[in-house]
Amino acid sequence: MAEVRLENPDAPLKELGGYFNPAIGKSGVNHRLRKLSELAEKIRSAQR
């Protein structure tokens, strides 16, 4: 998901989900991006 978002920074969530097989719904994309954001924040805070 992170790679797809980096490759398509302006794409809406529904479009991002369409890049997967099977396709992921908008809510699934949102959930995955939220989880990635949480993981990134944990890593940042652990490095401080």
Side-chain angles (χ1 to χ4, degrees), residues 6-46:
L6 288 171
E7 293 168 2
N8 304 283
D10 297 326
L13 297 182
K14 184 172 181 166
E15 184 179 324
L16 291 176
Y19 290 112
F20 293 90
N21 186 14
I24 301 170
K26 196 165 98 173
S27 64
V29 170
N30 187 43
H31 174 75
R32 287 166 175 81
L33 290 174
R34 232 181 313 114
K35 284 291 194 180
L36 284 169
S37 181
E38 290 171 10
L39 287 170
E41 186 55 40
K42 284 181 184 179
I43 291 169
R44 278 189 219 107
S45 64

